[in-house]
Amino acid sequence: MEASRLQAMIRKAIPDAEVEAVDLQGGDHFDVVVVSDRFRGASLVDRHRMVYAALGDAMQGPVHALTIRAWTPAERDERVGG
Amino acid sequence: MAQDIFERIKQQVDADRVVLYMKGTPSLPQCGFSNVAAEILNRIGVEYKTYDVLQDPSLREGIKQFSSWPTIPQLYVDGEFVGGCDIMRSMYESGELEQLINPD
C-alpha cells in the first residue's frame, strides 16, 4: 500500500479534505493529517471513524498501523500558524 | 459465537472503570501505540485494567467489531469507548482525559 493511495482514498470519501500521508515504515505503517471543515463539531472518535471509513478494507490488512490527526482548517492554522 | 465475545467484552468494560485493550501488558508492551497508551494512564496515575489481545484471537477480533474501531489499543472509561492512542494523546495533552477519568 502506498501513501499516495491512502491519500486518494481519503480525498475520495472527504472531498474537501487536505490530506498528507506519510509512509513511516515498510509500507504498512502510516501517518495521516486530514484537514477538513467536515470535522467541525465532530468528536475525535467521529473524526477518526470518518477516516477509517474512507480507508475501508485497507484497515483489514495492508494498513497495519495508522497515526491520525484530524483537524478543522481553524485548528490546523492554530497549530501550524496560518 | 459473535454473541459470546460481545457479552464477554460488555462484562469487561462494565467491571472496571478504566479498561485498556492492548497488545502485551503495561510492563511488557508488544507495540509502540499500546506502550504510549499504557504510559499515559500511568502518568495520570489511575488504576486500570488491561486485556492483552495477543493472548486471545477472538478478543482481538471481537473488540474491533464491538467498538467499530479497526485498531488496538482501545480505551474504555465508565463503559464508554474513548478512543485509541492518538485520541488518548490528544486528550491527555489538553487535560480532557484526566478530567474524564478523575472528574473534580
Side-chain angles (χ1 to χ4, degrees):
Chain A
M1 174 71 66
E2 288 177 12
S4 55
R5 174 121 181 78
L6 280 191
Q7 210 173 358
M9 290 172 84
I10 295 172
R11 283 220 179 98
K12 184 162 181 212
I14 312 176
D16 77 321
E18 293 166 50
V19 184
E20 269 178 53
V22 175
D23 183 339
L24 292 179
Q25 165 201 321
D28 69 349
H29 184 171
F30 297 88
D31 188 311
V32 295
V33 178
V34 185
V35 180
S36 165
D37 213 49
R38 279 216 217 160
F39 291 146
R40 205 150 29 121
S43 67
L44 289 180
V45 169
D46 287 342
R47 296 182 188 195
H48 286 215
R49 284 215 171 102
M50 282 172 70
V51 176
Y52 285 138
L55 298 176
D57 286 341
M59 293 311 300
Q60 304 310 321
V63 179
H64 180 77
L66 188 63
T67 298
I68 298 174
R69 268 161 299 177
W71 298 328
T72 62
E75 287 164 0
R76 185 269 315 276
D77 292 343
E78 227 176 282
R79 281 169 170 73
V80 175
Chain B
M1 186 57 152
Q3 216 27 56
D4 293 340
I5 186 67
F6 280 16
E7 295 277 337
R8 190 147 58 99
I9 293 170
K10 186 83 181 67
Q11 280 168 21
Q12 288 170 351
V13 303
D14 286 339
D16 291 280
R17 268 207 76 222
V18 181
V19 180
L20 182 69
Y21 292 90
M22 63 182 292
K23 294 182 180 177
T25 63
S27 45
L28 214 56
Q30 296 298 309
C31 147
F33 296 146
S34 287
N35 188 20
V36 170
E39 247 320 286
I40 286 173
L41 294 178
N42 291 342
R43 290 194 190 181
I44 289 178
V46 69
E47 266 191 47
Y48 59 102
K49 176 79 178 158
T50 63
Y51 293 96
D52 181 357
V53 301
L54 297 179
Q55 299 300 318
D56 188 341
S58 62
L59 180 62
R60 185 174 183 173
E61 269 322 295
I63 189 63
K64 293 176 184 176
Q65 301 298 319
F66 187 86
S67 312
S68 299
W69 193 264
T71 53
I72 306 289
Q74 295 190 14
L75 177 68
Y76 276 79
V77 175
D78 294 327
E80 296 283 316
F81 177 65
V82 174
C85 171
D86 298 339
I87 290 177
M88 285 178 71
R89 201 190 325 224
S90 183
M91 289 176 72
Y92 175 64
E93 284 168 5
S94 70
E96 263 182 273
L97 188 59
E98 176 134 28
Q99 188 57 27
L100 181 70
I101 288 176
N102 292 325
D104 16 65

